[in-house]
Amino acid sequence: MISLAEVLRRHWPAYEQKFGVRLLPSHRRAVKAILSCRTPALGGQLFRCECGKEHYAYHSCNHRACPQCGHADATEWLNRQRRRLLPVPYYLVTFTVPAQLRKTVRSQQKILYALLLQESAAALSDLAHKDFGAQIGLLAVLQTWTRDLRYHPHVHCVVPAGGLSADALRWVRPKNCDYFLPQAALALRFRTRLKQALQQNHPEVFRLIATVAWSLDWVADVQPVGSGEPALKYLAAYVYRTAFSTERILSDDGHHVTFSYRDRKTRDPGTVRLVPEAFLHRFLQHVLPKGFQRVRSFGWLSAAAKAKWERILALLDWKRPALVATAPRPPPHCPTCKKPMQLVGQLPRAPPFWHRPRLQAVLPK
């Protein structure tokens, strides 16, 4: 198996030399993190077994573009969100922008990513208030990729089917228990709100978008997801992790990088074969701007609406499940005798040109 870090070590120098100052700082930071992840550059720990074997465990970079990182954070996030699931039906609503906007979205990420999240949530709130008179809460997640790593920005929203009445005295459900909100109306409202937000607050960005984009039919897909947990499990894979996993890389012969994917509709396996430059471009275009928050809560699910959240718990007569404590990570097992190994030392971060790691003994308490 070839790791993403190996592909970067082979091809990043040529890519960096070609594009130079045009490379985004976020892309440089991502590559630097991936290349140093679980290497002596980040330091680590030394474990020793009673049989005499030693094991070095180097620290992770914890960058969200790194395929080796994020699993523990995603699991913790999923457990937190599970505790906030109400005893009501849930829907997964996905908002997609047309292809005519994608180039502008990619070049104006800080502005448009935030607006995609904000206006998709506002479109849902507007129609829920109009359709069944409720103040709703929702969780929104930005995703930018398809399974073959093409650029396809869209927003997933996990929404409970119901909300607070205007006077906050009742829990209000949709008029039809088998129906949430009309897809066509949601798409139209999302398009209208995004257009108005750009015209009013970012006219320079609005002028970059082809006029035809605003006359097209946009897409909002509404799907029931039962208790909401299936949608959370699906999204957890993307909240703290990258668009790409290392095991998908099939080969790198120096001229082409080949990776696997699975078709979203047919579920059939497929492969993509790209020259290294095209592969790096396809991967790096999904690196988010520094500090950008991909996951956001709106309405009474936001941190600022604690009083409304407590009111909803009372109206539904529902208590949050107890928080399950995360078990401490066990020490590694010896590859020879399979017994647990003991931590005996700490390895500091290496300087830019390191030679031998300095071992810091773990002092007894």
Side-chain angles (χ1 to χ4, degrees):
M1 182 178 69
I2 303 171
S3 70
L4 178 61
E6 289 179 75
V7 174
L8 287 172
R9 288 190 184 96
R10 294 177 183 178
H11 306 295
W12 171 251
Y15 190 88
E16 184 180 31
Q17 183 177 17
K18 179 174 181 177
F19 294 101
V21 295
R22 288 182 287 169
L23 288 171
L24 294 176
S26 57
H27 292 182
R28 292 183 181 275
R29 283 191 295 267
V31 172
K32 181 180 178 181
I34 294 169
L35 290 176
S36 63
C37 187
R38 301 185 186 183
T39 70
L42 296 183
Q45 298 171 315
L46 174 63
F47 292 87
R48 183 177 295 138
C49 179
E50 60 186 33
C51 71
K53 294 288 184 180
E54 292 184 344
H55 173 73
Y56 290 95
Y58 297 115
H59 293 316
S60 301
C61 67
N62 290 322
H63 195 286
R64 53 188 171 183
C66 178
Q68 297 190 92
C69 299
H71 177 73
D73 290 331
T75 301
E76 184 180 337
W77 177 86
L78 178 58
N79 290 335
R80 288 198 310 270
Q81 298 306 319
R82 278 174 172 153
R83 296 184 67 234
R84 293 175 68 84
L85 287 174
L86 297 171
V88 300
Y90 276 77
Y91 286 83
L92 179 64
V93 184
T94 304
F95 293 90
T96 305
V97 298
Q100 288 79 359
L101 262 78
R102 292 174 193 164
K103 182 178 180 181
T104 305
V105 172
R106 185 164 50 193
S107 66
Q108 304 291 328
Q109 294 179 9
K110 288 185 178 180
I111 293 173
L112 280 166
Y113 283 172
L115 283 178
L116 291 180
L117 288 163
Q118 175 184 312
E119 301 308 332
S120 58
L124 280 163
S125 297
D126 288 350
L127 262 69
H129 183 266
K130 178 181 177 181
D131 197 68
F132 56 97
Q135 307 172 51
I136 63 170
L138 63 100
L139 179 74
V141 179
L142 174 74
Q143 188 175 332
T144 62
W145 59 86
T146 60
R147 300 192 179 197
D148 59 354
L149 288 184
R150 295 183 187 276
Y151 190 71
H152 183 69
H154 53 284
V155 175
H156 294 296
C157 300
V158 182
V159 195
L164 274 176
S165 60
D167 56 10
L169 296 178
R170 294 175 296 114
W171 175 260
V172 184
R173 293 177 172 83
K175 297 173 183 177
N176 188 330
C177 61
D178 297 323
Y179 174 81
F180 184 46
L181 292 170
Q183 296 182 150
L186 276 172
L188 178 59
R189 187 61 181 154
F190 175 52
R191 185 187 72 182
T192 301
R193 288 196 62 102
L194 184 61
K195 181 180 180 180
Q196 291 175 346
L198 287 170
Q199 287 176 319
Q200 295 171 9
N201 303 316
H202 305 283
E204 73 288 353
V205 177
F206 177 76
R207 288 191 290 269
L208 298 175
I209 299 172
T211 306
V212 67
W214 306 112
S215 61
L216 297 172
D217 290 333
W218 289 29
V219 177
D221 181 65
V222 181
Q223 297 294 331
V225 286
S227 67
E229 186 162 346
L232 291 178
K233 287 181 177 178
Y234 168 73
L235 296 176
Y238 308 116
V239 172
Y240 285 98
R241 305 189 74 181
T242 181
F244 194 76
S245 56
T246 286
E247 54 267 20
R248 290 174 58 190
I249 301 178
L250 302 177
S251 67
D252 175 9
D253 61 9
H255 302 286
H256 293 90
V257 178
T258 304
F259 66 91
S260 64
Y261 75 99
R262 189 172 293 277
D263 187 89
R264 182 179 65 87
K265 294 181 179 179
T266 65
R267 305 293 298 169
D268 293 333
T271 59
V272 178
R273 186 170 180 260
L274 299 170
V275 295
E277 180 183 312
F279 172 78
L280 293 187
H281 172 75
R282 216 180 259 203
F283 171 75
L284 291 171
Q285 67 184 341
H286 303 297
V287 173
L288 294 175
K290 183 180 180 181
F292 183 82
Q293 192 174 357
R294 169 185 284 162
V295 184
R296 303 188 186 187
S297 298
F298 295 91
W300 39 257
L301 278 176
S302 68
K306 185 176 180 180
K308 289 185 177 180
W309 171 250
E310 296 296 335
R311 177 63 179 160
I312 289 169
L313 299 187
L315 289 171
L316 295 176
D317 191 22
W318 180 77
K319 289 186 177 181
R320 298 172 66 179
L323 181 63
V324 179
T326 304
R329 187 176 179 179
H333 284 67
C334 177
T336 303
C337 68
K338 310 303 179 184
K339 293 181 180 179
M341 304 179 82
Q342 182 180 3
L343 175 66
V344 296
Q346 298 284 349
L347 298 167
R349 284 174 174 264
F353 300 99
W354 65 278
H355 298 283
R356 293 184 62 184
R358 293 179 292 107
L359 185 63
Q360 297 175 349
V362 176
L363 301 177
K365 294 183 179 179

